[in-house]
């Protein structure tokens, strides 16, 4: 508190334990910055056409674009849209429906106050921007007065159906009643705010997206068309967004992993109705505490599997991924089916442990219908995939392989499970969150001669996973197919009938046990699920949610796309050597991997055991060796089977030797951690092969 008073002498520090101080934080004048950027652009040869309305954007046969304005046409190799509140109507001209809808944001400007006038007369520096998260507002100096910017509940979405043609720089009427709780909180924290008169209440439109992050990157389904939309914090991200887009357009990929802002992270489910609810939710949660296990409730459920009601009846507590509702965990009888969010172990810790034991000791049933699923076929299919993925394609019908699409620097862009369906047909499965991201990548890479067909069948097929030492016993009761190891070995797939359902059974799973992924036409899911539950009753079958699956997969050191596998780490850094066929014909990223092997791999992927107390790692924790930061965790869990807290991480090679003692920062405390062998559970894969 004394340090807070030194930085903000006009603040009341009563009740405060501490604060975070960003010495390089600040604010900019948007108009001045915009003019400076414009001057820099002109100096670099750019032409800026003010007061020019775009009336149409038309694709050309060669992949270029023609921008039609009210003052003529402009031919462009690439188009970038940065249209703020006009985003939805701009992109509608090219057939895109994106979840950018503005929300009304108000701020209060006060009259001058003598205390601030006196500070400035003494030549004292401006006080830092003050943000009080518990009260959801920011406060800063503005000349000799103050600006209060709340992020209040009840702020409505606006321009839902587009910005009127006659709208220019107008503002909405202020609504002080909506701001009253924040005004009272600000007066309690900074008493002079209550003494200064109100000079103005500004209420304008700020573009928002469902997760609060902007859309920066290529447009789905369109070549040479780029988005820079949904910036809820205005021009503050302009420099970085412009730089990364320019490098992406010039070099074919971004210099850092931008999946968190990639426009393709949203699918068709993120329509207008969805965006209104989620964008208002994102706005009112700007200053709330965000927990690693939080699941926000607005606009849910959006997409559900046919057995959603079965999960509800079993006590499921749901999360969502790419719009799909998925059981995160199952509350047993007598336990409330709701999350108690925390940075520490919380109410779902015990039930998740039971689900892990169900999968390891008996048989678990997991609904991962949201997996992305694609069919690639045609006379050029194998050559197409061979040139795109680092691994060789499976040669025998029914064989399974894991393949990775890489960047030119060898980073991991996408991960696919691949099953060969025939001489010219392959079935690909990837992360549920990557449906548009992966489909767009595959579609834009297709040869132009029609020799390869691509079909996105994600919504037409469900996936239930049966995993555990008794999974064969359960499945054999429902099929006449031979499920023995000899007839149906690990890493193979077959088309069989399970009960009444036609099923693509793939002997692979993400938990590291004997088991099958059962891919099926979605209309058969309820009958298939009920048959599995009934057949598994005598073997102690039980539901297994996503949080248990996370614990189980980390016990096997399985890498998760988007967490452990990103474009910022190469396939060799990620320890994916066995999935990289350097001796096959050229594929994207091969040259970079060859150079890296010759020059030395800069990072190593390791598994750590952590001496945790009641707070386990989640991922993104820094790692230290002798006080020096040498890497970061990418995933973290409590391993209920092995009875230890675990993390997956990238470290410098000198810290990768087995037994190396490290420290991991968890909630501000350095906890001991050490490098252990990969896959602490069943490292020889005996159970998978059983």
């Amino acid at each position: 508190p004394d340090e807070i008073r030194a930085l903000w002498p006009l603040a009341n520090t009563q009740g405060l334990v501490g604060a975070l101080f960003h010495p390089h934080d600040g604010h900019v004048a948007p108009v001045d910055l915009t003019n400076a950027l414009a001057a820099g652009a002109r100096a670099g040869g750019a032409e800026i056409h003010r007061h020019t309305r775009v009336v149409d954007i038309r694709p050309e046969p060669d992949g270029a674009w023609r921008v039609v304005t009210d003052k003529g046409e402009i031919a462009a190799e690439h188009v970038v849209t940065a249209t703020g509140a006009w985003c939805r109507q701009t992109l509608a001209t090219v057939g895109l429906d994106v979840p950018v809808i503005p929300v009304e944001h108000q701020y209060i400007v006060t009259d001058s106050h003598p205390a601030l006038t006196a500070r400035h007369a003494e030549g004292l520096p401006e006080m830092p921007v003050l943000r009080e998260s518990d009260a959801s507002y920011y406060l800063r100096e503005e000349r000799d007065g103050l600006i209060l910017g709340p992020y209040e509940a009840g702020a409505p979405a606006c321009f839902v159906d587009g910005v009127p043609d006659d709208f220019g720089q107008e503002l909405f009427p202020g609504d002080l009643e909506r701001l009253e709780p924040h005004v009272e909180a600000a007066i309690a924290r900074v008493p002079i705010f209550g003494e200064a008169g109100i000079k103005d209440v500004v209420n304008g439109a700020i573009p928002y997206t469902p997760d609060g992050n902007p859309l920066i990157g290529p447009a789905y389904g369109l070549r040479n068309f780029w988005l820079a939309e949904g910036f809820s914090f205005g021009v503050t991200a302009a420099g970085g967004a412009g730089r990364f887009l320019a490098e992406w357009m010039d070099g074919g990929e971004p210099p850092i992993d931008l999946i968190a802002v990639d426009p393709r992270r949203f699918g068709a489910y993120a329509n207008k109705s969805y965006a209104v609810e989620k964008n208002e939710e994102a706005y009112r949660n700007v200053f709330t505490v965000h927990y690693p296990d939080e699941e926000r409730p607005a606009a849910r459920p959006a997409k559900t599997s046919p057995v959603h009601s079965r999960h509800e009846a079993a006590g499921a507590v749901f999360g969502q991924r790419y719009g799909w509702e998925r059981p995160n965990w199952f509350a047993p009888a007598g336990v409330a089916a709701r999350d108690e969010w925390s940075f520490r172990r919380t109410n779902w810790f015990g039930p998740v442990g039971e689900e892990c034991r169900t999968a390891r000791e008996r048989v678990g049933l997991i609904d991962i219908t949201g997996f992305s699923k694609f069919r690639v076929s045609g006379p050029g299919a194998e050559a197409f995939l061979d040139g795109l993925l680092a691994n060789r394609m499976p040669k025998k019908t029914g064989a399974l392989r894991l393949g990775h699409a890489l960047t030119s620097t060898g980073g991991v862009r996408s991960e696919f499970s691949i099953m060969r369906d025939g001489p010219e047909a392959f079935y690909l499965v990837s992360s549920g969150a990557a449906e548009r991201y992966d489909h767009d990548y595959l579609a834009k890479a297709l040869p132009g001669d029609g020799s390869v067909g691509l079909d996105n069948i994600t919504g037409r097929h469900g996936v239930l996973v049966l995993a555990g030492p008794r999974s064969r016993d359960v499945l054999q009761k429902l099929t006449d197919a031979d499920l023995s190891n000899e007839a149906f070995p690990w890493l193979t797939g077959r088309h069989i009938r399970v009960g009444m359902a036609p099923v693509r059974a793939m002997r692979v799973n993400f938990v590291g046990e004997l088991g099958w992924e059962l891919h099926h036409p979605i209309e058969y899911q309820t009958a298939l699920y009920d048959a599995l539950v009934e057949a598994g009753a005598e073997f102690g079958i039980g539901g297994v949610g996503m949080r248990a699956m996370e614990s189980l997969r980390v016990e096997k050191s399985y890498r998760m796309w988007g967490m452990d596998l990103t474009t910022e780490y190469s396939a060799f850094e990620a320890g994916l050597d066995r999935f990289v066929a350097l001796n096959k014909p050229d594929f994207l990223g091969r040259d970079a991997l060859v150079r890296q092997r010759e020059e030395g791999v800069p990072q190593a992927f390791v598994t750590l055991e952590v001496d945790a107390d009641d707070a386990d790692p989640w991922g993104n924790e820094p790692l230290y060796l002798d006080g020096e930061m040498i890497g970061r965790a990418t995933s973290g869990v409590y391993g209920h089977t092995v009875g230890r807290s675990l993390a997956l991480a990238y470290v410098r090679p000198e810290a990768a030797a087995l037994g190396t003692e490290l420290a991991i920062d968890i909630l501000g405390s350095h906890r001991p951690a050490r490098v252990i062998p990969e896959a602490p559970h069943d490292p020889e894969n005996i159970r998978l092969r059983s």
Side-chain angles (χ1 to χ4, degrees), residues 100 293 349 352 374 616:
V100 176
D293 57 346
F349 181 81
V352 165
F374 311 103
D616 302 297

Side-chain angles (χ1 to χ4, degrees), residues 164-180:
D165 288 341
D166 59 354
F167 183 87
Q169 297 179 343
E170 294 88 350
L171 297 170
F172 302 114
D175 185 353
L176 274 175
E177 185 177 344
R178 210 166 70 214
L179 304 185
E180 187 173 339

Side-chain angles (χ1 to χ4, degrees), residues 264-558:
R264 297 163 295 183
R265 70 187 185 274
F266 296 112
Y269 67 91
N271 53 34
K272 181 174 72 174
S273 299
Y274 178 93
V276 167
E277 289 192 44
K278 294 300 286 187
N279 294 11
E280 290 177 351
E281 179 187 56
Y283 175 90
R284 65 178 176 264
N285 280 286
V286 165
F287 277 125
T288 57
V289 174
H290 298 290
Y291 295 95
D293 57 346
E294 76 175 8
E295 294 280 355
R296 295 184 186 172
R300 293 178 55 194
K303 297 192 291 186
T304 60
S305 68
V307 295
H308 182 79
S309 61
R310 302 290 201 273
H311 298 320
E312 284 184 310
V317 180
F318 292 94
Q320 74 83 29
R321 183 83 158 167
Y322 199 72
W324 286 101
E325 293 292 318
R326 312 182 305 174
N328 274 345
W329 61 285
F330 292 88
V335 175
R338 66 172 183 271
D339 278 331
E340 295 176 6
W341 300 338
S342 177
F343 294 99
R344 303 180 183 275
R345 296 172 190 167
T346 183
N347 66 320
W348 50 262
F349 181 81
V352 165
E354 287 301 315
E355 293 170 33
C356 291
R357 285 182 279 277
T358 294
R360 292 282 191 238
E361 299 170 8
R362 301 188 301 279
V363 56
L365 186 57
I366 310 171
D367 182 358
I368 47 175
T369 291
F371 266 176
S372 301
K373 314 164 199 79
F374 311 103
R375 185 178 290 120
V376 179
S377 59
E382 183 167 4
F384 166 68
L385 292 173
D386 248 334
L388 211 60
L389 305 180
N391 205 352
R392 293 185 180 277
M393 293 304 99
K395 294 300 180 184
K396 295 182 179 179
T397 297
L400 293 171
R401 288 276 174 89
L402 194 64
H404 299 87
L406 308 181
T407 66
S408 62
T409 58
V412 181
R413 188 202 181 282
S414 301
E415 181 178 68
F416 299 96
S417 295
I418 307 154
M419 177 177 168
R420 189 171 197 125
D421 273 351
E424 298 181 351
F426 297 86
Y427 180 70
L428 276 61
V429 182
S430 69
S431 169
E435 182 184 341
R436 273 197 171 174
Y437 183 78
D438 285 342
H439 181 260
D440 195 53
Y441 182 68
L442 293 170
K444 288 176 178 175
L446 289 173
D449 59 5
S451 63
V452 182
L454 173 65
D455 190 12
N456 181 359
I457 58 175
T458 298
R460 305 201 299 269
H461 288 255
V463 184
L464 298 175
V465 177
L466 194 67
R470 305 309 299 268
S471 58
R472 181 181 282 118
D473 298 320
V474 175
L475 195 57
Q476 194 66 78
K477 290 177 65 176
L478 299 171
T479 183
D480 56 7
D482 186 351
L483 302 180
S484 67
N485 244 346
E486 295 72 26
F488 204 148
W490 182 43
L491 296 181
T492 62
R494 291 171 59 189
H495 292 272
I496 65 175
R497 190 164 293 276
V498 179
M500 294 184 293
V503 167
R504 176 194 298 271
M506 299 167 63
R507 196 173 157 192
V508 64
N509 61 74
F510 208 42
V511 302
E513 292 293 329
L514 169 68
W516 284 264
E517 288 183 3
L518 305 175
H519 297 240
H520 52 275
I522 198 77
E523 62 269 23
Y524 285 92
Q525 185 168 88
T526 301
L528 176 61
Y529 179 90
D530 289 345
L532 291 168
V533 170
E534 182 179 352
E538 66 175 292
F539 304 107
I541 195 170
V544 174
M546 295 300 104
R547 289 179 181 154
M549 191 168 78
E550 179 73 357
S551 174
L552 296 167
R553 70 99 181 167
V554 173
E555 289 183 328
K556 291 291 294 177
S557 300
Y558 289 162

Side-chain angles (χ1 to χ4, degrees), residues 88-120:
R88 284 179 62 81
Q89 58 213 91
T90 301
L91 296 180
T93 64
V94 293
L96 293 179
D97 181 12
V98 298
V100 176
I101 292 178
V103 176
E104 289 186 18
H105 175 59
Q106 302 185 89
Y107 61 89
I108 297 172
V109 183
T110 75
D111 290 322
S112 299
H113 190 280
L116 294 172
T117 303
R119 283 181 57 84
H120 299 158

Side-chain angles (χ1 to χ4, degrees), residues 179-204:
L179 304 185
E180 187 173 339
H182 310 279
V183 170
E184 292 174 352
I187 292 173
R189 184 62 61 205
V190 181
I192 67 165
F193 179 73
E195 300 168 3
I198 294 178
K199 182 178 181 179
D200 198 5
V201 178
V202 179
N203 186 9

Side-chain angles (χ1 to χ4, degrees), residues 663-676:
I664 182 170
D665 189 331
I666 299 178
L667 298 182
S669 174
H670 280 209
R671 306 294 302 183
R674 64 201 57 84
V675 180
I676 61 174

Side-chain angles (χ1 to χ4, degrees), residues 72-73 98 192 226 229 262 366 379 431 570-571 630 684:
E73 297 185 358
V98 298
I192 67 165
W226 306 79
E229 302 284 7
D262 193 296
I366 310 171
S431 169
S570 77
I630 47 77
E684 302 299 323

Side-chain angles (χ1 to χ4, degrees), residues 32-74:
D32 294 346
L33 176 59
T34 301
N35 287 333
L37 291 171
R42 289 191 181 99
E47 295 181 12
I48 299 175
H49 300 269
R50 300 187 66 210
H51 308 295
T52 303
R53 179 187 293 271
V54 174
V55 296
D56 199 8
I57 307 173
R58 300 172 184 167
E60 300 283 20
D62 62 355
W65 293 88
R66 186 162 297 276
V67 180
V68 182
T69 79
D70 58 359
K71 296 179 181 177
E73 297 185 358
I74 301 170

